[in-house]
Amino acid sequence: DIQMTQSPSSLSASVGDRVTITCRASQGIRNDLNWYQQKPGKAPKRLIYAASSLQSGVPSRFSGSGSGTEFTLTISSLQPEDFATYYCLQHNSYPHTFGQGTKLEIK
Amino acid sequence: EVQLVQSGTEVKKPGESLKISCKGSGYTFTSCWIGWVRQMPGKGLEWMGIIYPDDSDTRYSPSFQGQVTISADKSISTAYLQWSSLKASDTAMYYCARWGGGLGPVLGDVWGKGTTVTVSS
């Protein structure tokens, strides 16, 4: 199985901050990676697909980059509604696997 | 509008069987895989497996192989997740999601709202 190691596992930040979350794959996955945002009691919401493509309707302050084994999700200027848990997902090979999540909290 | 509508909350006893459902609409159901994802209380997302409703081709995570059965009835655009004998450790939220195969980047783009399963004696 491909392991997805996400860091940090939690992060405190302020409104307006720039934040970066990293996912590392245990082997190369090309750009077969999605990023999700999940708020308490809600289903995950896809933010980024194919490592760097922005989902329609998602604000442009969200961006993704990377290929191979290292990927990043960046939020350029945190807004109050961005405080949530974020997950990466690799879908290069079965079983597909999620990172363990990054909880983004208000400082 | 593309939607996945999941069945309602379930409360069961250990050893009981259960089948939860996920009904798709707004797209060609047989053209896309449907995936199931588990989220135990306070924990992260776990990929369980997927099914291609047109021919019922199925892939399971080794962690869930033999523990659950994924099936589909394409005539009613519905996918299912089934247990033959529930355990307390099956207590979780279960999500279905569209999981690729169609035209465009549809892997993990649309999710159901989830079905809460509680297993307790």
Side-chain angles (χ1 to χ4, degrees):
Chain A
D1 298 6
I2 295 176
Q3 309 303 318
M4 301 302 295
T5 303
Q6 209 173 315
S7 60
S9 54
S10 65
L11 176 57
S12 292
S14 300
V15 172
D17 283 354
R18 180 183 181 89
V19 164
T20 297
I21 298 168
T22 297
C23 246
R24 287 189 175 85
S26 59
Q27 63 192 73
I29 59 169
R30 302 183 305 181
N31 69 337
D32 297 330
L33 184 114
N34 295 352
W35 287 99
Y36 291 88
Q37 176 192 68
Q38 187 180 33
K39 296 182 177 178
K42 299 293 187 183
K45 173 186 174 183
R46 192 173 75 171
L47 302 175
I48 301 286
Y49 61 92
S52 59
S53 295
L54 189 67
Q55 176 72 30
S56 175
V58 172
S60 59
R61 62 181 180 272
F62 291 92
S63 64
S65 65
S67 181
T69 61
E70 187 147 340
F71 302 85
T72 59
L73 173 70
T74 299
I75 311 171
S76 60
S77 178
L78 273 173
Q79 298 302 301
E81 61 268 29
D82 299 338
F83 292 93
T85 302
Y86 293 84
Y87 296 92
C88 61
L89 164 73
Q90 74 80 17
H91 56 89
N92 176 263
S93 63
Y94 297 120
H96 296 173
T97 44
F98 290 92
Q100 76 274 26
T102 295
K103 187 171 184 179
L104 181 50
E105 298 174 307
I106 302 173
K107 187 183 284 184
Chain B
E1 181 194 5
V2 176
Q3 283 191 87
L4 294 171
V5 178
Q6 295 190 234
S7 50
T9 298
E10 300 278 359
V11 180
K12 292 289 195 178
K13 291 182 169 29
E16 292 186 332
S17 63
L18 176 64
K19 193 174 190 177
I20 63 175
S21 66
C22 171
K23 183 174 176 63
S25 63
Y27 73 102
T28 303
F29 187 73
T30 50
S31 297
C32 296
W33 296 79
I34 291 287
W36 288 95
V37 174
R38 183 175 80 174
Q39 188 166 39
M40 298 176 78
K43 302 297 185 185
L45 304 171
E46 300 174 89
W47 187 83
M48 301 177 72
I50 55 175
I51 188 164
Y52 194 70
D54 194 40
D55 61 5
S56 290
D57 187 13
T58 311
R59 312 288 164 86
Y60 289 93
S61 166
S63 299
F64 292 94
Q65 179 90 48
Q67 309 305 307
V68 297
T69 301
I70 296 172
S71 61
D73 184 340
K74 64 183 179 181
S75 69
I76 54 171
S77 301
T78 301
Y80 301 97
L81 179 64
Q82 182 174 4
W83 295 259
S84 58
S85 181
L86 286 159
K87 309 180 194 63
S89 57
D90 293 316
T91 295
M93 176 72 83
Y94 293 89
Y95 293 104
C96 66
R98 191 164 65 166
W99 214 263
L103 291 175
V106 299
L107 192 145
D109 66 333
V110 176
W111 292 61
K113 295 189 177 192
T115 296
T116 300
V117 174
T118 302
V119 183
S120 174
S121 54

